[in-house]
Structure formats: structure tokens, C-alpha cells
């Protein structure tokens, strides 16, 4: 079966910057390397060595298991261990968390107390240029004020923080100004603004689409992939300000092939296999149309940011730099997990600063989309649930593990067929539909005959074309 090809979407990246080169050196040589650690039989109660996504899963499990005693967690990237805060005084809770594989730290402030402090800040100090998020490493609320918060505004903020009590919050001054990172330039264009594409997704009606920042979605309805070019996509939903900063933009051509990958420049791509929640301490990479590739760490979750346009809640706070035009760009991990969409912050990639991101998991749930690309024939459709047609074997059946094996590389004009996945049953690992991102000129198809609960089949023609390098949108 032949597959329709479309012209490569071209995105310009800032080349030669120290930030981009440094991040690429960390990311690219190890993009497919395993980060799993081995257990230590000699010390059964010692903290487990975990990769970041597994640490996030363990944190979610412990939060449910420990209840009110759970006071936050973070990932120690150096030791590759999950550190869990628990309220002092309950030895049983400490033992339970240690047996689960976490490093345990007893603290004073509960999540309920920290949430109450954040509520007070919202009620008394919602001032443009301020932001706050819980920092589990200090067990306090980290409050940040940009350079516009002076005089009476600063006095109000400072007095509100003091009213929370000793040991509850800290205030930090930022040299920059909090703003959304929209500008005029390249990548995706609409209404005179430039943003960056975050992740390709499949909309609830099965049509190809992408996620970007909500403030981009409210700035313009139609978007092009070239400056002053014809529109290629139209905003379907957008949220900003308020409960997030995200938009779903549908491609105008329903036959658009939109691979689930991030183009990190230099002909290199990182396959995106899943959406995952952030964890404080997680190493993350950001790709944007202005500054290219940059990396850093997650500093806080459920952050509130008071932009000039209004207050946005539920964001991820990081120390990854960004600049105007990077808005909407993808935040992801080395192992291919989609984490966030660039919202805004302060500073730039010369002096640094604070940045905030919309969690991808929240955005996907809100707009009713799934990560990855799909088409009418069912090819390359990610996350097919029970009873749904899972394209080419990707997550077929309830609970399926979509660890698709990469397709073989083919030379120019070559044809590489990805190995079929014919394992059946809920929870089975399905191999076979995802063509490797470095195939140049070859056409890779997946015939994954995988079935799961509800008889979700995946023998669609795959549509994972291999004219890859540069085909993804950012």
C-alpha cells in the first residue's frame, strides 16, 4: 500500500548557541539508553535506583498509600532516588515508604498546610509579576517576584508571606519580568505572532492535531508553518488565562502525517512514546523555535503565575531558559516522555531565569486528545483503548504497553518494514509500528497484529513514513 507524502515541515532553529549544544550533548548520545538501575539485595530497605518516570509513578503510589502523612516528593538526579517527605512522628509511615523503595525525610509542613498558605497568597497577594509553587526540597512555598513588584506591591507581598508564619514560605526576587513567550519570527505563525509547536496528537474525532500554548491559541485562529504562508491548521480549543495555558490546533488537511517526535535540530529527532507527569528534580529538555534545545530541572509543581494578562494555575516551574517565540514548545525527557508546553517566565538564555510550563497530561485530558498521530485507516494511532482500533499495534487493548520496536533503517528510496507485533491480550507488550526517527528517504510500515481487551486490532498500514529528519514540527 502506498502512502501519501506531504512536504516536510521546516522549522528554523537558533544554531550554534552554547545552550543548544550543551543540551544536545546530554540528550542525543543517550536518547535510547536504558536508565534502569539494579537492585541491591544486600540492603533490602535501601532506596531503589530509579529512572525519573518510574520515580514519578512511585511518588503517586505513595501519595495514595500514605494519605495525609505524605508531604511531597522530589527526584534526586544524582543518586537517581525518589525522596519522599513525611510528617514527623509516625514511624510506621517511614517504614512503609522505605519498603516501597523511597528515601524518606521527616518534615514539619503538611501538604494541607502548604495548600492553605497558597490559598492565602491567592486571596491577598495576586499581583502581576508574582508566582508561587510548593518546593518539596525545602518543604516550603517558594514565592517569586519579578522586577515590576516594587513599592506598595512588594510590601503587600512581603507582609502576606510573613503572615503565613515562620518556616512556611520564602520570597525570591527575579531580575526579569514575567511574560508569555510570544513573538514574531518562525516555526508556527498566526496573527503576526510566532509560537512553537509542542506535540503532535490525535484529536477526539480522530483528526491530526497538535498542542501549543493557550495564549498562542487565543492570539490567532489560523496558523501557518511559514511566515506569511498559507494556514495549515486552525485552533479548535484554547485555555488562557485561568486553569492552564494550552490549545488544541487541528491540521486543515486530514491526511497530514504528523509523527510523534520532537525535532531537536541537526537532523536529529527524539521519539515521544508517552505523556508523563513531572516530578521535582526531574531533568527535562525544552525545544523552541527561537532558542532551540535547552535543558534544566523541574523546581515546583502546581505553580500559580500572575501574568499581566491574568492568573494561570496548575503549571510546572523549572530553571530551563526560554525566550519570545518559544511559547508552546515541547518539554520532554531523555527517554521520550512528553512533560509540558512552554508557557512563560522571566529572563532569557543569556542570564537565565524562571520558566513555567503547562503539564501535557492535563492538557490532553482537557481537550480529549491522545498523544501521537493517526489517520482514517487506523495507521499509527496511539493509545487505542479497549474496543478502539489501535493503529499498527500501538497500545492495543486495555493496559497495553506501547513499547514499539523501531523500524529498520533504509537508504534513500529503500523500504523498511517494522517487525510485526502479534502478541495478544491485555497488558501485553506490543512491538512493531514505530518507524525509527533517523530513516532517511525510506518508507517504514507497521503491520502490528496486536489484539487486547475489546478486540482492538492494529493491522492498519502504519503510515509512519521515514522521510524523517526534519519532518516533525516544533
Amino acid at each position: 500500500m502506498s502512502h501519501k507524502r506531504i512536504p516536510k515541515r521546516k522549522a528554523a532553529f537558533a544554531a550554534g548557541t552554547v545552550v543548544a549544544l550543551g543540551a544536545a550533548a546530554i540528550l542525543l548520545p543517550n536518547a535510547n539508553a536504558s536508565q534502569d538501575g539494579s537492585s541491591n539485595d544486600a540492603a533490602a530497605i535501601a532506596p531503589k535506583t530509579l529512572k525519573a518516570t518510574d520515580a514519578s509513578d512511585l511518588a503517586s503510589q505513595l501519595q495514595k498509600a500514605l494519605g495525609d502523612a505524605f508531604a511531597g516528593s522530589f527526584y534526586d538526579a544524582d543518586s537517581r532516588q525518589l525522596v519522599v517527605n513525611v510528617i514527623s512522628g509516625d514511624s510506621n509511615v517511614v517504614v512503609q515508604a522505605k519498603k516501597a523503595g523511597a528515601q524518606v525525610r521527616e518534615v514539619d509542613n503538611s501538604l494541607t498546610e502548604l495548600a492553605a498558605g497558597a490559598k492565602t497568597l491567592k486571596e491577598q497577594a495576586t499581583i502581576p509579576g508574582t508566582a508561587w509553587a510548593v518546593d518539596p526540597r525545602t518543604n516550603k512555598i517558594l514565592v517569586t517576584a519579578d522586577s515590576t513588584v516594587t513599592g506598595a506591591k512588594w510590601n503587600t507581598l512581603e507582609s502576606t508571606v510573613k503572615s503565613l508564619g515562620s518556616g512556611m514560605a520564602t520570597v525570591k526576587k527575579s531580575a526579569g519580568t514575567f511574560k508569555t513567550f510570544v513573538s514574531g519570527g518562525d516555526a508556527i505563525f498566526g496573527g503576526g505572532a510566532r509560537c512553537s509547536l509542542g506535540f503532535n496528537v490525535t484529536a477526539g474525532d480522530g483528526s491530526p492535531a497538535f498542542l501549543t500554548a493557550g495564549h498562542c491559541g487565543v492570539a490567532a485562529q489560523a496558523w501557518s508553518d511559514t511566515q506569511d504562508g498559507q494556514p495549515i491548521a486552525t485552533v479548535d480549543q484554547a485555555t488562557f488565562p485561568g486553569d492552564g495555558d494550552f490549545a488544541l490546533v487541528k491540521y486543515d488537511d486530514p491526511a497530514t502525517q504528523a509523527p510523534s517526535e520532537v525535532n531537536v535540530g541537526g537532523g536529529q529527532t527524539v521519539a515521544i512514546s508517552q505523556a508523563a507527569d513531572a516530578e521535582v528534580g526531574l531533568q527535562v529538555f525544552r525545544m523552541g523555535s527561537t532558542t532551540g534545545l535547552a535543558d534544566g530541572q523541574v523546581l515546583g509543581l502546581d505553580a500559580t503565575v500572575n501574568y499581566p494578562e491574568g492568573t494561570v494555575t496548575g503549571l510546572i516551574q523549572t530553571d530551563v531558559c526560554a525566550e519570545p517565540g518559544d511559547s508552546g514548545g515541547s518539554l520532554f525527557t531523555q527517554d521520550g516522555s512528553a512533560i509540558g508546553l512552554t508557557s512563560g517566565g522571566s529572563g532569557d538564555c543569556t542570564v537565565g531565569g524562571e520558566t513555567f510550563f503547562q503539564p501535557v497530561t492535563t492538557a490532553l485530558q482537557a481537550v480529549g486528545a491522545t498523544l501521537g498521530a493517526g489517520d482514517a485507516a487506523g495507521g499509527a494511532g496511539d493509545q487505542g483503548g479497549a474496543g478502539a482500533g489501535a493503529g499498527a499495534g500501538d497500545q492495543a487493548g486495555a493496559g497495553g504497553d506501547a513499547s514499539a520496536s523501531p523500524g529498520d533503517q533504509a537508504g534513500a528510496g529503500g523500504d523498511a518494514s517494522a517487525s510485526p507485533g502479534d502478541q495478544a491480550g491485555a497488558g501485553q507488550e506490543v512491538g512493531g509500528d514505530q518507524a525509527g526517527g533517523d530513516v532517511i528517504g525510506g518508507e517504514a510500515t507497521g503491520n502490528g497484529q496486536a489484539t487486547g481487551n475489546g478486540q482492538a486490532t492494529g493491522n492498519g498500514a502504519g503510515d509512519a513514513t521515514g522521510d524523517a529528519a526534519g519532518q516533525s514540527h516544533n
Side-chain angles (χ1 to χ4, degrees), residues 306-383:
N306 297 300
Y307 292 123
E309 300 92 336
T311 299
V312 180
T313 60
L315 301 183
I316 301 165
Q317 183 171 351
T318 82
D319 61 3
V320 185
C321 73
E323 296 182 6
D326 290 331
S327 278
S330 37
L331 186 74
F332 58 100
T333 63
Q334 183 173 334
D335 63 0
S337 295
I339 301 296
L341 308 166
T342 306
S343 174
S346 67
D348 54 36
C349 287
T350 300
V351 301
E354 299 79 21
T355 45
F356 302 93
F357 295 82
Q358 165 65 46
V360 166
T361 52
T362 306
L364 288 171
Q365 183 177 17
V367 302
T370 52
L371 194 66
D375 63 25
D382 273 2
Q383 298 181 354

Side-chain angles (χ1 to χ4, degrees), residues 118-179:
K119 182 180 179 181
T120 298
L121 287 165
K122 179 180 179 180
E123 293 171 347
Q124 301 181 18
T126 297
I127 301 166
T130 61
W132 50 82
V134 172
D135 181 0
R137 289 170 297 190
T138 62
N139 188 228
K140 296 179 181 180
I141 302 170
L142 174 61
V143 181
T144 308
D146 73 12
S147 59
T148 67
V149 183
T150 58
K153 293 179 180 178
W154 171 257
N155 292 338
T156 298
L157 180 64
E158 192 174 38
S159 63
T160 304
V161 169
K162 287 182 178 179
S163 73
L164 301 179
S166 174
M168 183 60 68
T170 58
V171 182
K172 170 185 158 186
K173 287 284 286 183
S174 173
T177 302
F178 289 158
K179 59 186 179 296

